[in-house]
Each structure stands twice: as C-alpha cells, then as structure tokens.
Amino acid sequence: MKKIISLVLLVIGFAGNAQSGLPQEATDIAPLLIGEKIPNSTLKSIDGNAVSLKTVLGRKRTILVFYRGGWCPYCNLHLAALGEAEKELLDLGYQIVAISPDAPKNLKVTEEKDKVNYLLLSDSNGDLAKAMGIAFQAPDKYKSILTKGSDGVNTNFLPVPSVFIVNLDGEIEFEHITPDYKHRISNDLLVAAAKSLIK
C-alpha cells in the first residue's frame, strides 16, 4: 500500500472543487485533493512551444510547483531553494516542474536570474490553475504586474503557491498549499515527503 502524505496549510477547509467564478481570497480556494488526478492542460515552454502536461507528468514522478511569477521575491527565493534540492530529488527519480502565469519570455528571465535548471512552464490564461482549484481573484494592486508579466493575457488571477508530488499516472500523492505567499515548504520537508513516497 502506497504511503500517502498530506500537509495542507489552509485556514478554511476544502469544500469541493465546484467553483462559480474565482474565489475572492486565497483562503477561499478549493484545491484538488490527494488521490485526484492532475487535469491535462496545454502549457507553453520558455521557447513558446505548446507542451502537454500529461506527457510531461508521464515521464517521471514529479514535484509540481505553482508560483505567482518572476516578479515575486518570495517565489524567486523558493525557486532558488528548489534548485538546491534538485540533485537529491533527481537522484530519487523525480523531476521538478514549476508553473506560473508568466509569459514564456518572462520565464526565460526567471530561469537566467534564479539559475533554474528544471522545467518552467507558462499558464498565462490560468486554465490549469483554475482547474486545480488554486486560482483566486488578484487584488487590484497586482493587476498591472500580472498584465505585464503575462504579456497582457492575465489581468485577474493569482495562483496560491502550491507544491504537489504527482505519480506517473498524474495522481496527487502529497500537497502543500500556502495561502500566505510569504511562507513556502522547506526543502527538508519536501525531500522527506518525496522519500516516503518511493516504494
């Protein structure tokens, strides 16, 4: 029996995934739960090419990370920290995939600035973040930043910073969701969770 871990840091409990429009606050989201499958989505690579998420997830067990954008200093710190854990996670048989609303050209800026070696993908229209149940209405103060970061595609949503561990079938085995964007999962906890899920 596969060991399943759940660490979900939410102020409000999950009430299911049916959403009529975007939640008003980060604490109002209703994410997918452990055991549910990541919905397939077509994202964009740094080079602007279409990428099937299902194909990517089918390659290796995945550490799937959602972040707000390269403009967010807390996200940049988190992405850099993930880079420090990357070798250990790769040695365990995982790949790291990080997704944000940023346009491909801005993913490239993040990759170079944070010296990221793992895969960055663009979800500028928010289809995946919304299907995952982690998108919420962006406060007005972020709208111009989001518009610029997404090349005009995203004007109204933010993803709650989230980390999922996903198996080859696209099923969620672990999740860490933090509506307080200033707090992220530690490498120690992430690596411990990743180790515990290996048969």
Side-chain angles (χ1 to χ4, degrees):
M1 187 73 178
K2 195 174 291 181
K3 186 176 179 184
I4 302 296
I5 295 181
S6 172
L7 178 58
V8 183
L9 303 178
L10 286 176
V11 176
I12 294 179
F14 300 150
N17 276 312
Q19 297 183 41
S20 54
L22 289 173
Q24 293 282 330
E25 305 285 341
T27 50
D28 295 336
I29 63 167
L32 293 180
L33 302 175
I34 286 173
E36 293 191 276
K37 279 199 171 187
I38 302 289
N40 191 26
S41 186
T42 300
L43 305 170
K44 287 190 176 177
S45 69
I46 279 182
D47 299 323
N49 297 321
V51 175
S52 162
L53 183 60
K54 183 177 181 180
T55 300
V56 171
L57 297 181
R59 293 178 191 148
K60 278 187 172 184
R61 297 173 63 87
T62 303
I63 309 294
L64 186 63
V65 179
F66 287 84
Y67 67 102
R68 301 180 342 141
W71 51 268
C72 170
Y74 297 95
C75 295
N76 289 325
L77 287 170
H78 185 211
L79 294 178
L82 277 170
E84 294 171 9
E86 183 176 21
K87 184 181 184 309
E88 192 167 4
L89 291 167
L90 290 178
D91 288 346
L92 289 170
Y94 289 91
Q95 63 179 344
I96 301 173
V97 177
I99 298 171
S100 79
D102 281 349
K105 69 179 185 183
N106 289 321
L107 294 180
K108 195 164 191 67
V109 172
T110 297
E111 180 188 57
E112 292 168 355
K113 178 177 63 179
D114 295 327
K115 298 180 174 58
V116 170
N117 295 314
Y118 49 83
L119 183 62
L120 298 180
L121 295 173
S122 170
D123 179 35
S124 291
N125 58 18
D127 286 350
L128 179 59
K130 291 168 189 173
M132 296 285 297
I134 59 170
F136 69 102
Q137 289 186 26
D140 289 340
K141 67 180 180 179
Y142 289 113
K143 290 185 177 176
S144 62
I145 297 171
L146 293 171
T147 300
K148 183 178 178 184
S150 66
D151 240 6
V153 177
N154 173 28
T155 60
N156 70 337
F157 84 90
L158 273 169
V160 169
S162 307
V163 176
F164 300 89
I165 297 181
V166 184
N167 67 21
L168 289 168
D169 295 321
E171 295 170 347
I172 300 168
E173 296 185 312
F174 168 93
E175 57 187 30
H176 186 281
I177 300 164
T178 50
D180 181 353
Y181 64 86
K182 296 179 181 179
H183 296 94
R184 308 298 170 94
I185 188 171
S186 69
N187 281 348
D188 287 346
L189 180 55
L190 179 58
V191 170
K195 284 180 178 176
S196 75
L197 292 166
I198 300 295
K199 288 182 179 179

